[in-house]
Amino acid sequence: MSDYYEILGVSKAASEDEIKKAYRKLAHKYHPDKPDGNEQKFKEINEAYQVLSNKDKRAQYDRFGRVFTEGGIPHGAEWGNFGFNPGGFNWRFDDDMFDLGDVLENLFVQFGGGPRRQTYTQGSDIEIVTQISLEEAFRGVKPEMEFKTQINCESCNGLGYDKGAGFSNCSLCQGRGEIREEKKTFFGHFAQVKTCPDCRGRGEIPKKICVDCKGLGRITGKRKVAIEISPGVEDGQIIKVKGAGEAGERESASGDLYVAVKVKPHAVFERIKNDLYTTKEVRITEALLGKKIKFKDVNGESFGVSVPGDFNFKDKLRVSGRGMPVFGFGATRGDLYISFTLKTPKKLSEKAKKLLGELEEEL
């Protein structure tokens, strides 16, 4: 186990103030956001400070070489084993509640500067459902979807303002695109750098806002999107159309469109994956004499099959390559499985009875 005093570079007789000063110095030096930062070292420094800055924990550490929590888990085990995430905790100091992750994100921006960040709302993703027939699922289809959402404002081409009218400096941030806020943290008082809420990071304000979209660059309207559903699509399959969702504010990225495909039940065929199942009524003479029985597959193509002489009518007859296309491999098809029901005459003539009697003797 690492020596917490050695990590902070202080002696075992160090005072609380000495420990705090050493911690602040090392935290500044090794913070992950700094060019020469070290995330692992920063975690070790933070761990050491959490123990040595607490009288009870420090006493346990001096006596046993480790600290035990109320649950019996030794304090000082690897952070990764317990899912430590500084941004996941809210800390209270001097009655001020703040998010530690938010502080660490912006803590050292003032030392190294950084690029301006323009913050606009990205468009949301949209989910819609479309229904197609089994025949359309076989052949593939290119439907045009129309739905209500946020679309780019045509008056300003999605900008939210009149580009020709020009800009003026933002009075809140003085053209910097960012503002500073004082934060009281366990490090002390620090200035957090945040994107300016008025100009949203631009540093300037348009002189003429679009009256149609109120400066947002988008309005409520209807969007038409042509999607391609490939042959062999399965019921419930999701098709993603990138950038075809809700428009973002002021030329921000649009969301994506997710289309859930529902394949309607069919009157003749039942589908299981790429295979199709159907039932056919045949006369007993057709089955016994091996005559060609006519069929039409799901694509409307005619073909004929003969029942093998040793066929058990409790089974299904498999016809290779007459099922659904394999999605993404249009030339490859599943199989068709046929169940037969035998059609018998309602009334037999004497001649028919005699012939059946002779047939029975041969079986």
Side-chain angles (χ1 to χ4, degrees), residues 179-251:
I179 59 174
R180 293 190 176 195
E181 290 183 354
E182 289 290 330
K183 285 277 188 177
K184 183 190 290 186
T185 73
F186 61 90
F187 292 109
H189 285 82
F190 294 94
Q192 281 188 279
V193 180
K194 290 189 172 183
T195 301
C196 176
D198 283 9
C199 66
R200 299 191 179 188
R202 292 186 65 98
E204 52 189 11
I205 303 290
K207 291 183 177 179
K208 187 176 180 181
I209 297 296
C210 177
V211 295
D212 290 336
C213 64
K214 305 298 188 293
L216 295 177
R218 63 182 186 179
I219 59 173
T220 301
K222 289 187 177 180
R223 169 170 279 187
K224 291 183 179 180
V225 179
I227 64 171
E228 182 173 355
I229 301 177
S230 300
V233 65
E234 295 188 32
D235 181 56
Q237 193 162 336
I238 305 294
I239 297 174
K240 177 182 176 181
V241 186
K242 188 171 180 59
E246 181 185 74
E249 291 184 2
R250 301 185 187 181
E251 295 188 301

Side-chain angles (χ1 to χ4, degrees), residues 58-69:
R58 183 178 180 181
Q60 287 185 34
Y61 180 77
D62 289 341
R63 182 176 181 182
F64 302 107
R66 63 174 58 193
V67 175
F68 296 88
T69 64

Side-chain angles (χ1 to χ4, degrees), residues 257-270:
L257 174 65
Y258 292 87
V259 182
V261 180
K262 296 292 293 180
V263 181
K264 291 182 284 189
H266 198 273
V268 176
F269 299 102
E270 179 185 357

Side-chain angles (χ1 to χ4, degrees), residues 15-214:
S15 65
E16 291 182 11
D17 285 339
E18 289 174 329
I19 289 173
K20 184 179 293 186
K21 288 179 181 179
Y23 169 62
R24 289 177 177 175
K25 180 179 179 180
L26 292 171
H28 279 281
K29 181 178 179 180
Y30 291 106
H31 191 277
D33 286 349
K34 297 202 68 179
D36 298 324
N38 186 312
E39 183 178 0
Q40 184 59 40
K41 186 72 174 176
F42 181 79
K43 289 180 178 178
E44 292 175 358
I45 294 166
N46 187 69
E47 179 182 326
Y49 179 73
Q50 295 299 320
V51 173
L52 299 185
S53 63
N54 182 290
K55 290 182 180 180
D56 293 335
K57 291 180 180 180
R58 183 178 180 181
Q60 287 185 34
Y61 180 77
D62 289 341
R63 182 176 181 182
F64 302 107
R66 63 174 58 193
V67 175
F68 296 88
T69 64
E70 293 180 358
I73 299 174
H75 185 98
E78 289 293 330
W79 287 115
N81 294 341
F82 299 97
F84 176 73
N85 177 10
F89 296 87
N90 284 329
W91 300 71
R92 185 182 295 276
F93 294 92
D94 300 329
D95 294 326
D96 287 334
M97 179 68 78
F98 65 97
D99 187 297
L100 178 60
D102 187 46
V103 173
L104 296 181
E105 179 184 355
N106 299 290
L107 188 60
F108 298 102
V109 174
Q110 62 267 39
F111 293 105
R116 287 180 181 173
R117 294 177 295 172
Q118 295 185 20
T119 55
Y120 303 127
T121 302
Q122 181 173 318
S124 300
D125 295 336
I126 294 177
E127 298 178 7
I128 58 176
V129 178
T130 185
Q131 281 195 332
I132 62 174
S133 65
L134 187 63
E135 288 83 359
E136 289 174 322
F138 180 92
R139 295 187 293 268
V141 64
K142 297 180 179 180
E144 186 175 68
M145 316 297 297
E146 184 177 42
F147 49 92
K148 188 176 181 180
T149 184
Q150 293 290 314
I151 61 175
N152 283 331
C153 176
E154 293 184 359
S155 299
C156 62
N157 293 320
L159 292 175
Y161 56 86
D162 183 352
K163 192 173 184 180
F167 300 86
S168 59
N169 269 5
C170 177
S171 58
L172 180 62
C173 66
Q174 302 300 317
R176 291 189 300 270
E178 55 193 22
I179 59 174
R180 293 190 176 195
E181 290 183 354
E182 289 290 330
K183 285 277 188 177
K184 183 190 290 186
T185 73
F186 61 90
F187 292 109
H189 285 82
F190 294 94
Q192 281 188 279
V193 180
K194 290 189 172 183
T195 301
C196 176
D198 283 9
C199 66
R200 299 191 179 188
R202 292 186 65 98
E204 52 189 11
I205 303 290
K207 291 183 177 179
K208 187 176 180 181
I209 297 296
C210 177
V211 295
D212 290 336
C213 64
K214 305 298 188 293

Side-chain angles (χ1 to χ4, degrees), residues 133-135 138 263-272 274-280 294-303 319 322-324 333 335-339:
S133 65
L134 187 63
E135 288 83 359
F138 180 92
V263 181
K264 291 182 284 189
H266 198 273
V268 176
F269 299 102
E270 179 185 357
R271 180 183 183 180
I272 301 178
N274 299 314
D275 297 327
L276 294 176
Y277 293 78
T278 189
T279 299
K280 179 73 172 180
K294 294 181 179 181
F295 285 89
K296 282 188 177 181
D297 66 12
V298 68
N299 196 35
E301 184 178 344
S302 298
F303 66 98
V319 184
R322 289 287 179 177
M324 295 292 291
R333 292 176 60 177
D335 300 328
L336 173 65
Y337 290 87
I338 306 171
S339 298

